[in-house]
Structure formats: structure tokens, C-alpha cells
Amino acid sequence: KGQVRYRRLVRATEPASRPGTLSEAKAHLRIDSTAEDSLITTLIDTATRWAEDYCDRTFCHTQWTMRMDSFYGSVGSPTQFGLKADGANIEGRRGVVPQLDIELPRPPLVTSGTATALTITYTPSVSGTTATLSATEYRGDRQATPGACRPLYGQTWPSHLLDQNSTTVTWWAGYSADGTSVPSAAKSAILMLVAHLWRNREMTAEAALTAVPMGTKAQLDTLRWGSYR
């Protein structure tokens, strides 16, 4: 199946917590003093961001904003070619099927609690005025990996202006607001990476380094959602 490609994906709201706490990292490093607390906290943030990017996942609740050219794909893409703005076939282009699903990167989509808002805004016409699509016109698939939103059964996306960044989707992703529900493999990998960064503070090393078997990447490979497709 096709896939909606975005022009921009940004963190609209940063997570309030990290999978690894300062105390956990210090225990892993066997450090008792507070002299390097600031450095270790920075390394936890760095390691967490790297692990999320590697897995293409979100660990703690984060709000994402994705901007697209169209509900159906990038302007000029094979998905968009041959379609009207409402997704109907242009005469002579029969057989072209619009891709209605909008995949939401960085799973998992939050399934319950207060951070479940899923908002879609779009530009209906050349006037440039932005409209918010009613939540009664689409549904979110929170069980899929990655999550997705799609029109209600038998319907399609509304007519809209096909232009760069004219459609925006905002949602929440992550296992939990804090790090309690983050998979243990991710937590372990993050602590390993923090230890590596703490011990190797320069961009080069005098001796050749060898990756640890079943180390950071091996653990995170079990969480990379791309492997399920």
C-alpha cells in the first residue's frame, strides 16, 4: 500500500520524563557523587533521542505535528497524480485508487488517558483560511504500528487546496507519560549508551572499540517498527 509522505515532522510538546532517570543512570555508572549530575542528565537526553530515532518510536508521551501537501500524498506524487482534490478519479484515469490512510510516524499512538487528542487542520481553498476537520469525520487507529487516521467508513477526505504544508496532523505518541511503561530493552540500551558516552568524551579513541554482543543496537532492533512491515 502507499504511504503519505510528510514535509515536516516536529515535536510540538517535549516529554516531561525520560525512560532512564538520573538515579538509574548513576547506579549503572556506579557513581555516588553529585558532581556530574548535569552531564549525566544531558547524556540521558542524548541517548534517549538517539534510541528513539534509531527505533523510529516514541518512548514517553510526546506531541508530534506533521505537515503535508495533501490528505492523499505529496503534490505530484504517484498517489496524487490522476486524482481530484476530493480523491475522485479524473476522467480517463480509472483504476487509480487514493490512499486514504494517513500514517502517524513515531509509534505507539497513545491509547488512553489525557494525551489522546488527534487534530487535523487543512486549507479548504486559495483564500488561505485554515479549517479544523471535525473529529466526527475521521477515526484514529491506535492499535496499528504505526498508528493511522482515516475517514469514516464509506467516506473520503474533504476537498482542499493542494499546496505545500497545507494539511497538518497533531497527535500524541509514547508508552506512558513517565518511563514506567517503556520496554525494558529500550531502558537497558539507553543506560548502555549513557555509559559509553560518559566514558568516551572525545570524538576519537586511542584504541579500537568493539561493539558489545547483544548491546545497544541488538536490544533496540527488537523495537524497530519497520521490521514488522
Side-chain angles (χ1 to χ4, degrees):
K1 84 182 185 181
Q3 174 178 330
V4 172
R5 297 186 179 275
Y6 55 83
R7 282 192 179 271
R8 190 176 186 223
L9 179 66
V10 298
R11 296 172 189 261
T13 304
E14 292 283 349
S17 302
R18 296 290 187 231
T21 65
L22 177 61
S23 60
E24 289 172 333
K26 291 175 69 173
H28 185 77
L29 294 169
R30 297 186 176 93
I31 294 176
D32 296 324
S33 70
T34 60
E36 295 192 298
D37 282 7
S38 179
L39 171 61
I40 296 172
T41 299
T42 298
L43 295 181
I44 293 173
D45 290 342
T46 301
T48 300
R49 187 65 62 93
W50 184 90
E52 286 185 323
D53 289 346
Y54 183 79
C55 294
D56 207 6
R57 282 187 179 269
T58 306
F59 296 148
C60 294
H61 286 180
T62 302
Q63 189 180 45
W64 292 94
T65 295
M66 178 173 65
R67 294 185 180 277
M68 308 171 295
D69 297 349
S70 160
F71 285 110
Y72 304 103
S74 301
V75 172
S77 71
T79 303
Q80 182 62 50
F81 184 71
L83 300 174
K84 295 180 180 179
D86 62 359
N89 289 37
I90 293 176
E91 185 177 357
R93 297 293 300 177
R94 297 185 182 281
V96 179
V97 179
Q99 171 58 33
L100 297 179
D101 281 11
I102 298 177
E103 289 189 349
L104 305 178
R106 298 304 185 106
L109 200 61
V110 176
T111 58
S112 62
T114 58
T116 55
L118 175 58
T119 306
I120 300 176
T121 61
Y122 65 105
T123 307
S125 65
V126 294
S127 68
T129 302
T130 301
T132 299
L133 187 63
S134 172
T136 62
E137 298 186 43
Y138 62 91
R139 56 197 174 95
D141 186 346
R142 300 181 183 275
Q143 304 305 319
T145 304
C149 55
R150 58 182 65 96
L152 294 182
Y153 296 104
Q155 299 185 28
T156 187
W157 297 115
S159 297
H160 61 288
L161 178 69
L162 303 181
D163 196 11
Q164 288 81 1
N165 302 303
S166 62
T167 304
T168 302
V169 184
T170 301
W171 71 97
W172 287 87
Y175 293 93
S176 60
D178 55 18
T180 56
S181 298
V182 176
S184 57
K187 292 184 178 182
S188 176
I190 288 170
L191 291 176
M192 290 181 71
L193 184 54
V194 168
H196 171 75
L197 294 173
W198 183 79
R199 292 187 174 91
N200 299 274
R201 306 191 184 190
E202 299 178 0
M203 58 181 272
T204 58
E206 294 181 3
L209 300 178
T210 303
V212 177
M214 300 302 294
T216 301
K217 287 188 176 181
Q219 294 184 70
L220 293 178
D221 282 341
T222 63
L223 302 174
R224 300 181 76 182
W225 69 260
S227 63
Y228 297 103
R229 299 177 63 81

mmCIF file of all heavy atoms in Angstrom, residues 108-142:
data_model
loop_
_atom_site.group_PDB
_atom_site.id
_atom_site.type_symbol
_atom_site.label_atom_id
_atom_site.label_comp_id
_atom_site.label_asym_id
_atom_site.label_seq_id
_atom_site.Cartn_x
_atom_site.Cartn_y
_atom_site.Cartn_z
ATOM 1 N N PRO A 108 4.366 4.249 19.651
ATOM 2 C CA PRO A 108 2.942 3.939 19.526
ATOM 3 C C PRO A 108 2.064 5.158 19.770
ATOM 4 O O PRO A 108 2.416 6.047 20.538
ATOM 5 C CB PRO A 108 2.725 2.905 20.636
ATOM 6 C CG PRO A 108 3.687 3.337 21.705
ATOM 7 C CD PRO A 108 4.904 3.839 20.967
ATOM 8 N N LEU A 109 0.915 5.182 19.110
ATOM 9 C CA LEU A 109 -0.078 6.216 19.354
ATOM 10 C C LEU A 109 -0.651 6.001 20.754
ATOM 11 O O LEU A 109 -0.948 4.872 21.142
ATOM 12 C CB LEU A 109 -1.185 6.102 18.310
ATOM 13 C CG LEU A 109 -2.095 7.310 18.054
ATOM 14 C CD1 LEU A 109 -1.294 8.496 17.554
ATOM 15 C CD2 LEU A 109 -3.181 6.937 17.053
ATOM 16 N N VAL A 110 -0.781 7.069 21.535
ATOM 17 C CA VAL A 110 -1.318 6.949 22.895
ATOM 18 C C VAL A 110 -2.754 6.421 22.815
ATOM 19 O O VAL A 110 -3.574 6.924 22.036
ATOM 20 C CB VAL A 110 -1.278 8.306 23.621
ATOM 21 C CG1 VAL A 110 -1.937 8.192 24.999
ATOM 22 C CG2 VAL A 110 0.160 8.786 23.766
ATOM 23 N N THR A 111 -3.047 5.408 23.614
ATOM 24 C CA THR A 111 -4.353 4.750 23.527
ATOM 25 C C THR A 111 -5.356 5.189 24.579
ATOM 26 O O THR A 111 -6.559 4.984 24.416
ATOM 27 C CB THR A 111 -4.183 3.219 23.627
ATOM 28 O OG1 THR A 111 -3.534 2.902 24.871
ATOM 29 C CG2 THR A 111 -3.341 2.687 22.477
ATOM 30 N N SER A 112 -4.888 5.767 25.684
ATOM 31 C CA SER A 112 -5.818 6.151 26.737
ATOM 32 C C SER A 112 -5.236 7.284 27.569
ATOM 33 O O SER A 112 -4.062 7.629 27.435
ATOM 34 C CB SER A 112 -6.126 4.952 27.644
ATOM 35 O OG SER A 112 -4.938 4.493 28.277
ATOM 36 N N GLY A 113 -6.077 7.858 28.433
ATOM 37 C CA GLY A 113 -5.621 8.945 29.284
ATOM 38 C C GLY A 113 -5.917 10.304 28.681
ATOM 39 O O GLY A 113 -6.744 10.444 27.765
ATOM 40 N N THR A 114 -5.230 11.309 29.164
ATOM 41 C CA THR A 114 -5.499 12.687 28.730
ATOM 42 C C THR A 114 -4.786 13.061 27.445
ATOM 43 O O THR A 114 -5.208 13.981 26.749
ATOM 44 C CB THR A 114 -5.084 13.672 29.840
ATOM 45 O OG1 THR A 114 -3.681 13.484 30.140
ATOM 46 C CG2 THR A 114 -5.897 13.433 31.105
ATOM 47 N N ALA A 115 -3.696 12.353 27.107
ATOM 48 C CA ALA A 115 -2.911 12.713 25.920
ATOM 49 C C ALA A 115 -3.348 11.894 24.708
ATOM 50 O O ALA A 115 -2.557 11.166 24.110
ATOM 51 C CB ALA A 115 -1.422 12.515 26.198
ATOM 52 N N THR A 116 -4.621 12.008 24.354
ATOM 53 C CA THR A 116 -5.142 11.242 23.225
ATOM 54 C C THR A 116 -5.665 12.130 22.096
ATOM 55 O O THR A 116 -6.232 11.626 21.132
ATOM 56 C CB THR A 116 -6.274 10.301 23.683
ATOM 57 O OG1 THR A 116 -7.273 11.079 24.353
ATOM 58 C CG2 THR A 116 -5.744 9.233 24.622
ATOM 59 N N ALA A 117 -5.498 13.444 22.209
ATOM 60 C CA ALA A 117 -6.026 14.351 21.190
ATOM 61 C C ALA A 117 -5.380 14.079 19.834
ATOM 62 O O ALA A 117 -4.165 13.937 19.720
ATOM 63 C CB ALA A 117 -5.780 15.801 21.609
ATOM 64 N N LEU A 118 -6.218 13.994 18.812
ATOM 65 C CA LEU A 118 -5.777 13.812 17.434
ATOM 66 C C LEU A 118 -6.474 14.884 16.603
ATOM 67 O O LEU A 118 -7.697 14.840 16.424
ATOM 68 C CB LEU A 118 -6.139 12.408 16.937
ATOM 69 C CG LEU A 118 -5.855 12.071 15.477
ATOM 70 C CD1 LEU A 118 -4.385 12.254 15.149
ATOM 71 C CD2 LEU A 118 -6.299 10.649 15.177
ATOM 72 N N THR A 119 -5.719 15.862 16.126
ATOM 73 C CA THR A 119 -6.310 17.023 15.463
ATOM 74 C C THR A 119 -5.805 17.145 14.030
ATOM 75 O O THR A 119 -4.607 16.966 13.773
ATOM 76 C CB THR A 119 -5.950 18.321 16.230
ATOM 77 O OG1 THR A 119 -6.343 18.176 17.598
ATOM 78 C CG2 THR A 119 -6.654 19.521 15.622
ATOM 79 N N ILE A 120 -6.727 17.464 13.123
ATOM 80 C CA ILE A 120 -6.384 17.650 11.713
ATOM 81 C C ILE A 120 -6.853 19.027 11.268
ATOM 82 O O ILE A 120 -8.024 19.372 11.428
ATOM 83 C CB ILE A 120 -7.034 16.572 10.823
ATOM 84 C CG1 ILE A 120 -6.558 15.178 11.233
ATOM 85 C CG2 ILE A 120 -6.725 16.832 9.353
ATOM 86 C CD1 ILE A 120 -7.220 14.052 10.461
ATOM 87 N N THR A 121 -5.958 19.817 10.715
ATOM 88 C CA THR A 121 -6.315 21.102 10.119
ATOM 89 C C THR A 121 -5.895 21.093 8.661
ATOM 90 O O THR A 121 -4.942 20.406 8.285
ATOM 91 C CB THR A 121 -5.636 22.275 10.855
ATOM 92 O OG1 THR A 121 -4.210 22.128 10.767
ATOM 93 C CG2 THR A 121 -6.044 22.311 12.321
ATOM 94 N N TYR A 122 -6.601 21.862 7.845
ATOM 95 C CA TYR A 122 -6.312 21.882 6.414
ATOM 96 C C TYR A 122 -6.738 23.225 5.830
ATOM 97 O O TYR A 122 -7.414 24.024 6.484
ATOM 98 C CB TYR A 122 -7.028 20.741 5.702
ATOM 99 C CG TYR A 122 -8.536 20.827 5.719
ATOM 100 C CD1 TYR A 122 -9.246 21.210 4.584
ATOM 101 C CD2 TYR A 122 -9.267 20.535 6.873
ATOM 102 C CE1 TYR A 122 -10.634 21.306 4.593
ATOM 103 C CE2 TYR A 122 -10.643 20.622 6.897
ATOM 104 C CZ TYR A 122 -11.323 21.002 5.749
ATOM 105 O OH TYR A 122 -12.690 21.101 5.769
ATOM 106 N N THR A 123 -6.345 23.478 4.596
ATOM 107 C CA THR A 123 -6.690 24.707 3.890
ATOM 108 C C THR A 123 -7.717 24.375 2.812
ATOM 109 O O THR A 123 -7.382 23.729 1.807
ATOM 110 C CB THR A 123 -5.444 25.343 3.242
ATOM 111 O OG1 THR A 123 -4.427 25.487 4.246
ATOM 112 C CG2 THR A 123 -5.771 26.697 2.638
ATOM 113 N N PRO A 124 -8.987 24.769 2.994
ATOM 114 C CA PRO A 124 -10.035 24.387 2.045
ATOM 115 C C PRO A 124 -9.876 25.003 0.655
ATOM 116 O O PRO A 124 -10.225 24.387 -0.347
ATOM 117 C CB PRO A 124 -11.327 24.882 2.715
ATOM 118 C CG PRO A 124 -10.971 25.025 4.163
ATOM 119 C CD PRO A 124 -9.535 25.458 4.168
ATOM 120 N N SER A 125 -9.357 26.244 0.581
ATOM 121 C CA SER A 125 -9.321 26.924 -0.709
ATOM 122 C C SER A 125 -8.140 27.885 -0.765
ATOM 123 O O SER A 125 -7.366 28.018 0.191
ATOM 124 C CB SER A 125 -10.626 27.702 -0.934
ATOM 125 O OG SER A 125 -10.730 28.754 0.020
ATOM 126 N N VAL A 126 -8.032 28.577 -1.903
ATOM 127 C CA VAL A 126 -6.917 29.505 -2.106
ATOM 128 C C VAL A 126 -7.013 30.729 -1.202
ATOM 129 O O VAL A 126 -6.077 31.531 -1.165
ATOM 130 C CB VAL A 126 -6.856 29.964 -3.576
ATOM 131 C CG1 VAL A 126 -6.510 28.806 -4.485
ATOM 132 C CG2 VAL A 126 -8.185 30.592 -4.009
ATOM 133 N N SER A 127 -8.094 30.871 -0.486
ATOM 134 C CA SER A 127 -8.208 32.006 0.433
ATOM 135 C C SER A 127 -7.147 31.936 1.528
ATOM 136 O O SER A 127 -6.788 32.943 2.128
ATOM 137 C CB SER A 127 -9.599 32.043 1.071
ATOM 138 O OG SER A 127 -9.774 30.927 1.945
ATOM 139 N N GLY A 128 -6.664 30.717 1.792
ATOM 140 C CA GLY A 128 -5.629 30.529 2.785
ATOM 141 C C GLY A 128 -6.138 30.359 4.198
ATOM 142 O O GLY A 128 -5.359 30.134 5.122
ATOM 143 N N THR A 129 -7.441 30.441 4.381
ATOM 144 C CA THR A 129 -8.020 30.266 5.711
ATOM 145 C C THR A 129 -7.938 28.802 6.133
ATOM 146 O O THR A 129 -8.294 27.913 5.368
ATOM 147 C CB THR A 129 -9.488 30.727 5.728
ATOM 148 O OG1 THR A 129 -9.558 32.086 5.319
ATOM 149 C CG2 THR A 129 -10.070 30.592 7.126
ATOM 150 N N THR A 130 -7.481 28.570 7.340
ATOM 151 C CA THR A 130 -7.314 27.208 7.837
ATOM 152 C C THR A 130 -8.570 26.733 8.561
ATOM 153 O O THR A 130 -9.184 27.499 9.306
ATOM 154 C CB THR A 130 -6.118 27.124 8.798
ATOM 155 O OG1 THR A 130 -4.937 27.532 8.107
ATOM 156 C CG2 THR A 130 -5.910 25.708 9.293
ATOM 157 N N ALA A 131 -8.938 25.491 8.327
ATOM 158 C CA ALA A 131 -10.115 24.903 8.983
ATOM 159 C C ALA A 131 -9.688 23.678 9.774
ATOM 160 O O ALA A 131 -8.710 23.005 9.428
ATOM 161 C CB ALA A 131 -11.165 24.526 7.952
ATOM 162 N N THR A 132 -10.428 23.382 10.838
ATOM 163 C CA THR A 132 -10.182 22.177 11.629
ATOM 164 C C THR A 132 -11.225 21.137 11.269
ATOM 165 O O THR A 132 -12.430 21.405 11.342
ATOM 166 C CB THR A 132 -10.249 22.485 13.135
ATOM 167 O OG1 THR A 132 -9.248 23.451 13.474
ATOM 168 C CG2 THR A 132 -10.015 21.220 13.948
ATOM 169 N N LEU A 133 -10.783 19.972 10.858
ATOM 170 C CA LEU A 133 -11.703 18.912 10.473
ATOM 171 C C LEU A 133 -12.387 18.352 11.713
ATOM 172 O O LEU A 133 -11.729 18.047 12.716
ATOM 173 C CB LEU A 133 -10.936 17.804 9.747
ATOM 174 C CG LEU A 133 -11.771 16.687 9.123
ATOM 175 C CD1 LEU A 133 -12.668 17.245 8.020
ATOM 176 C CD2 LEU A 133 -10.864 15.593 8.570
ATOM 177 N N SER A 134 -13.713 18.233 11.644
ATOM 178 C CA SER A 134 -14.470 17.715 12.779
ATOM 179 C C SER A 134 -14.036 16.292 13.100
ATOM 180 O O SER A 134 -13.847 15.460 12.207
ATOM 181 C CB SER A 134 -15.968 17.736 12.465
ATOM 182 O OG SER A 134 -16.693 17.066 13.477
ATOM 183 N N ALA A 135 -13.875 16.017 14.382
ATOM 184 C CA ALA A 135 -13.457 14.683 14.821
ATOM 185 C C ALA A 135 -14.498 13.625 14.505
ATOM 186 O O ALA A 135 -14.211 12.422 14.587
ATOM 187 C CB ALA A 135 -13.178 14.695 16.320
ATOM 188 N N THR A 136 -15.721 14.050 14.122
ATOM 189 C CA THR A 136 -16.763 13.088 13.758
ATOM 190 C C THR A 136 -16.618 12.611 12.318
ATOM 191 O O THR A 136 -17.375 11.750 11.876
ATOM 192 C CB THR A 136 -18.158 13.717 13.938
ATOM 193 O OG1 THR A 136 -18.283 14.856 13.063
ATOM 194 C CG2 THR A 136 -18.370 14.162 15.377
ATOM 195 N N GLU A 137 -15.635 13.162 11.583
ATOM 196 C CA GLU A 137 -15.461 12.798 10.178
ATOM 197 C C GLU A 137 -14.310 11.825 9.940
ATOM 198 O O GLU A 137 -14.097 11.384 8.820
ATOM 199 C CB GLU A 137 -15.254 14.063 9.340
ATOM 200 C CG GLU A 137 -16.431 15.025 9.358
ATOM 201 C CD GLU A 137 -16.235 16.192 8.401
ATOM 202 O OE1 GLU A 137 -15.777 15.953 7.272
ATOM 203 O OE2 GLU A 137 -16.538 17.338 8.789
ATOM 204 N N TYR A 138 -13.565 11.488 10.976
ATOM 205 C CA TYR A 138 -12.448 10.557 10.802
ATOM 206 C C TYR A 138 -12.248 9.764 12.084
ATOM 207 O O TYR A 138 -12.826 10.073 13.129
ATOM 208 C CB TYR A 138 -11.168 11.307 10.425
ATOM 209 C CG TYR A 138 -10.694 12.295 11.473
ATOM 210 C CD1 TYR A 138 -9.793 11.928 12.478
ATOM 211 C CD2 TYR A 138 -11.146 13.619 11.465
ATOM 212 C CE1 TYR A 138 -9.367 12.830 13.435
ATOM 213 C CE2 TYR A 138 -10.727 14.536 12.420
ATOM 214 C CZ TYR A 138 -9.831 14.131 13.398
ATOM 215 O OH TYR A 138 -9.415 15.035 14.351
ATOM 216 N N ARG A 139 -11.425 8.747 12.014
ATOM 217 C CA ARG A 139 -11.150 7.914 13.179
ATOM 218 C C ARG A 139 -9.657 7.614 13.250
ATOM 219 O O ARG A 139 -8.964 7.606 12.224
ATOM 220 C CB ARG A 139 -11.937 6.595 13.114
ATOM 221 C CG ARG A 139 -11.685 5.790 11.849
ATOM 222 C CD ARG A 139 -12.757 4.733 11.631
ATOM 223 N NE ARG A 139 -12.603 4.063 10.354
ATOM 224 C CZ ARG A 139 -11.953 2.912 10.199
ATOM 225 N NH1 ARG A 139 -11.393 2.323 11.251
ATOM 226 N NH2 ARG A 139 -11.861 2.350 9.016
ATOM 227 N N GLY A 140 -9.179 7.396 14.445
ATOM 228 C CA GLY A 140 -7.780 7.052 14.628
ATOM 229 C C GLY A 140 -7.620 5.579 14.937
ATOM 230 O O GLY A 140 -8.372 5.022 15.745
ATOM 231 N N ASP A 141 -6.675 4.952 14.273
ATOM 232 C CA ASP A 141 -6.364 3.550 14.535
ATOM 233 C C ASP A 141 -5.190 3.518 15.505
ATOM 234 O O ASP A 141 -4.032 3.646 15.117
ATOM 235 C CB ASP A 141 -6.001 2.831 13.231
ATOM 236 C CG ASP A 141 -5.822 1.333 13.429
ATOM 237 O OD1 ASP A 141 -5.706 0.893 14.595
ATOM 238 O OD2 ASP A 141 -5.771 0.595 12.421
ATOM 239 N N ARG A 142 -5.497 3.346 16.781
ATOM 240 C CA ARG A 142 -4.467 3.392 17.824
ATOM 241 C C ARG A 142 -3.816 2.041 18.072
ATOM 242 O O ARG A 142 -2.863 1.945 18.847
ATOM 243 C CB ARG A 142 -5.088 3.926 19.120
ATOM 244 C CG ARG A 142 -5.659 5.329 18.961
ATOM 245 C CD ARG A 142 -6.259 5.867 20.248
ATOM 246 N NE ARG A 142 -6.857 7.172 20.019
ATOM 247 C CZ ARG A 142 -6.183 8.319 20.045
ATOM 248 N NH1 ARG A 142 -4.884 8.307 20.312
ATOM 249 N NH2 ARG A 142 -6.785 9.471 19.816
#
